[in-house]
Amino acid sequence: MTADVTKGAAWAKLAALYDAFTPDLRGWFAADSDRADRFTRTAGDLHVDLSKNFLTDEVLDALVALADEVGLAERREAMFRGDHINVTEDRAVLHTALRRPRGDSLVVDGTDVVADVHEVLDQMYAFADKVRSGAWVGVTGKRIETVVNIGIGGSDLGPVMVYEALIPYKQPGLRCRFISNIDPTDVYEKTVDLDPETTLFIVASKTFTTLETITNAKMARWWLLDALKKAGAIDGSDAAQADAIAKHFVAVSTALDKVADFGIDPANAFGFWDWVGGRYSVDSAVGTAVCVAIGPENFADFLAGFHTIDRHFAETPWAQNVPALMGLLNVWYTNFFGAESHAVLPYAQYLHRFAAYLQQLTMESNGKGVKADGTPVTTGTGEIFWGEPGTNGQHAFYQLIHQGTKLIPADFIAVANPARPIKEGGQDVHELFLANFLAQTKALAFGKTAEEVRAEGVPEALVTAKVFSGNRPTTSIMAPSLTPSVVGQLIALYEHITFTQGVVWGIDSFDQWGVELGKVLAKQITPAIAGDAAALEAQDASTKALIEYYRAQRTV
Ligand code: F6P
């Protein structure tokens, strides 16, 4: 049985600190002119200010002691080394090998995985160059203008988030779209205005069995062939259709045999390995759409960014180690202050899908009720991650963060250099944006007292409504610019934060059994919806009634 973290000395120390703890960000800053400096850390290009957290020297020491007590260093080394730390699936967890530089070597289970990684990268880079240069043409000889990635979960959220984040690096004349939902309106809307002659589909699925992805890929295949036939671009012969599929479909998967069964030429398939978790895979061939859009050189920078943070996480003492500290602070908030959720608020519009991406990374990883050895957890686990880009969030849900009854630690992310510097009437608009980033973290930390409100002449009856308690913890993450490398660094930062929390909680952060039951039930329910009386009878009363409602209402 895994040792119970709550029985250790470090946990007891944190509990004692919590019992005597009164957050006082105003007082702490007033008493210590060095506080901002003392609690600011650097990881690669990331400048991370932790000073507006519930952090004191004593808390920092206790969190570092907790890292030592749970053996975070040993677990980290086991991961980097390729031990089978995903115990319930008996797999190594080697996303860090995906970004190791060419020439490095890591032999796991008898294979040099870094050499394998670079072999696939070379294949991806050659493919991306062909599409970008126009050497890869569709069935009628036209160059590709739209790359459509079909995938879901990790085979979608990473690629779409990174593509959106790096739009300024995209080759003009090329664009990507992403189909994920099995709702047929998704495939319809994403293809309805496309020219099949200039469209290339990438079917991305680690297992190549995921119902949503395979169904969407089949619909896309039908759409392509039908549209090409209607345009007179191909005839209906098997050979013509096979040729069209070969020129308009490529795949990314660990199951290359299933790719061939689908009709995609294995020569146009990019592999990866079972030691890459879906939510940790955007830096594998799953990132092929991104690689085509931004080009191999930028993709290599993206990978180098991950590697920078991997090195930082692997080599930096805990007290300076940004992912470890952020993960440990999340434990502090979750397990001692009872925080249930965590906001991620990028002041960078290009990061508008970052929170959605992090939801899978963090919640599929750490939303577990049993430890790696199958025994029940003894702590709360997995925070609920959510967020929207600032300033949109300010005009929506920040009210609750500022004045609500829940403690919501928040990460604010901003860059110094906008990708599109624009002035309006002499005002640098990025500076207006940044002023909001700084104002929000300041308001959350320091609030506004009743005396300050009264001093503004506010009528007494309104004073309490206008008071801001402050003491709402935030971390400010800044970088020079949103480059491919910085996007890689941000992802790796959160991967290692997630890892740190999983180690403290003693869980397997790399399996996802919680998604399985619904998949099985959907298969059983499908015939009932279609009218199979026996399958309908087998349902519970609520499900049965809902199906009956559906069948009575469906008219199209
Ligand atoms: O159902 C959850 C999940 O297994 C995720 O972990 C994964 O990212 C997603 O489905 C897609 O899986 P695949 O890449 O095998 O299609």
Side-chain angles (χ1 to χ4, degrees):
M1 195 161 105
T2 321
D4 181 352
V5 64
T6 67
K7 301 281 187 280
W11 200 268
K13 174 72 188 171
L14 283 165
L17 283 172
Y18 171 74
D19 286 342
F21 204 79
T22 311
D24 181 15
L25 284 163
R26 272 192 187 216
W28 294 340
F29 273 92
D32 176 6
S33 59
D34 206 25
R35 180 174 171 88
D37 261 9
R38 275 192 313 113
F39 291 127
T40 294
R41 304 283 184 270
T42 303
D45 293 320
L46 307 179
H47 173 91
V48 181
D49 178 357
L50 301 169
S51 66
K52 295 196 192 82
N53 279 286
F54 293 174
L55 192 56
T56 61
D57 293 321
E58 267 191 307
V59 170
L60 180 64
D61 289 348
L63 291 174
V64 167
L66 180 67
D68 288 335
E69 200 168 280
V70 297
L72 183 59
E74 293 77 36
R75 302 304 296 158
R76 174 190 62 188
E77 268 125 51
M79 173 171 73
F80 277 90
R81 196 166 55 219
D83 290 8
H84 287 210
I85 63 166
N86 177 357
V87 288
T88 72
E89 294 182 306
D90 190 19
R91 287 177 181 166
V93 174
L94 274 173
H95 45 277
T96 53
L98 295 169
R99 47 265 191 156
R100 286 177 68 149
R102 195 181 293 279
D104 259 21
S105 166
L106 177 68
V107 177
V108 178
D109 301 332
T111 307
D112 185 346
V113 294
V114 182
D116 285 358
V117 162
H118 282 273
E119 201 180 312
V120 174
L121 279 176
D122 287 341
Q123 195 195 351
M124 271 168 69
Y125 291 169
F127 168 72
D129 279 337
K130 268 199 209 159
V131 176
R132 291 165 64 82
S133 68
W136 181 292
V137 290
V139 73
T140 56
K142 290 189 183 165
R143 65 186 293 160
I144 300 302
E145 290 170 2
T146 309
V147 174
V148 182
N149 187 83
I150 302 176
I152 196 164
S155 299
D156 168 71
L157 289 162
V160 70
M161 182 278 280
V162 175
Y163 172 74
E164 293 290 331
L166 295 176
I167 287 276
Y169 292 83
K170 178 180 81 66
Q171 175 166 294
L174 254 183
R175 64 177 172 180
C176 293
R177 284 195 181 166
F178 298 85
I179 297 173
S180 52
N181 204 330
I182 198 169
D183 183 336
T185 57
D186 198 14
V187 77
Y188 176 84
E189 294 296 345
K190 303 273 176 54
T191 53
V192 68
D193 59 346
L194 291 184
D195 176 357
E197 295 177 49
T198 59
T199 300
L200 176 75
F201 292 96
I202 300 177
V203 186
S205 175
K206 179 175 168 181
T207 54
F208 229 75
T209 57
T210 304
L211 178 73
E212 291 86 345
T213 299
I214 300 307
T215 307
N216 280 327
K218 286 180 182 161
M219 287 193 285
R221 185 174 59 186
W222 178 87
W223 170 84
L224 178 90
L225 296 176
D226 184 61
L228 288 173
K229 279 186 262 180
K230 280 188 182 137
I234 60 167
D235 61 37
S237 67
D238 286 354
Q241 300 200 80
D243 184 41
I245 291 170
K247 292 191 167 123
H248 293 268
F249 272 86
V250 301
V252 174
S253 188
T254 58
L256 297 180
D257 49 332
K258 296 199 176 77
V259 170
D261 293 345
F262 184 87
I264 295 173
D265 185 347
N268 297 333
F270 308 100
F272 61 115
W273 307 272
D274 71 358
W275 42 258
V276 185
R279 52 195 177 274
Y280 297 87
S281 67
V282 64
D283 45 340
S284 73
V286 168
T288 299
V290 174
C291 182
V292 171
I294 67 173
E297 223 173 281
N298 285 320
F299 198 82
D301 281 351
F302 172 59
L303 297 182
F306 281 90
H307 186 64
T308 300
I309 299 300
D310 291 344
R311 298 298 353 132
H312 170 90
F313 183 55
E315 292 161 5
T316 310
W318 298 139
Q320 303 298 324
N321 194 308
V322 176
L325 286 177
M326 288 180 71
L328 292 164
L329 275 169
N330 290 353
V331 168
W332 179 225
Y333 293 128
T334 303
N335 299 119
F336 295 91
F337 291 86
E340 300 231 310
S341 82
H342 194 114
V344 179
L345 307 165
Y347 279 65
Q349 182 60 27
Y350 288 121
L351 286 175
H352 70 106
R353 294 294 289 160
F354 195 55
Y357 169 77
L358 286 186
Q359 285 180 331
Q360 188 197 10
L361 173 64
T362 60
M363 291 158 74
E364 204 172 67
S365 295
N366 284 343
K368 310 283 164 66
V370 294
K371 292 197 270 183
D373 62 4
T375 59
V377 294
T378 53
T379 61
T381 63
E383 299 139 284
I384 300 157
F385 272 76
W386 57 285
E388 282 288 326
T391 53
N392 296 359
Q394 286 174 212
H395 293 272
F397 51 76
Y398 277 35
Q399 165 67 39
L400 184 149
I401 306 183
H402 281 288
Q403 287 189 316
T405 56
K406 298 186 180 343
L407 180 75
I408 303 179
D411 299 345
F412 281 67
I413 304 170
V415 295
N417 294 290
R420 314 282 186 208
I422 296 176
K423 283 195 172 174
E424 155 52 35
Q427 169 68 56
D428 182 322
V429 182
H430 186 66
E431 291 184 357
L432 274 184
F433 192 32
L434 279 187
N436 276 278
F437 162 88
L438 297 168
Q440 293 299 325
T441 52
K442 187 168 178 159
L444 288 164
F446 307 121
K448 192 172 183 180
T449 63
E451 290 66 45
E452 286 165 339
V453 175
R454 282 193 192 100
E456 288 174 352
V458 170
E460 195 55 33
L462 291 182
V463 168
T464 51
K466 296 196 170 199
V467 166
F468 288 71
S469 67
N471 288 321
R472 309 226 170 200
T474 62
T475 295
S476 297
I477 302 172
M478 294 191 74
S481 308
L482 197 62
T483 59
S485 169
V486 164
V487 173
Q489 292 178 45
L490 283 171
I491 299 174
L493 169 66
Y494 281 90
E495 285 176 348
H496 298 317
I497 290 171
T498 303
F499 176 78
T500 299
Q501 291 175 247
V503 169
V504 173
W505 292 326
I507 59 183
D508 182 342
S509 298
F510 302 100
D511 61 12
Q512 57 283 316
W513 298 107
V515 299
E516 293 307 321
L517 178 58
K519 292 183 191 173
V520 173
L521 294 181
K523 274 200 187 130
Q524 291 168 7
I525 289 172
T526 303
I529 298 177
D532 181 316
L536 185 64
E537 268 323 298
Q539 304 306 322
D540 64 275
S542 167
T543 306
K544 188 169 167 235
L546 289 167
I547 293 171
E548 283 165 352
Y549 172 83
Y550 157 76
R551 289 186 57 79
Q553 295 298 317
R554 174 79 186 251
T555 55
V556 294

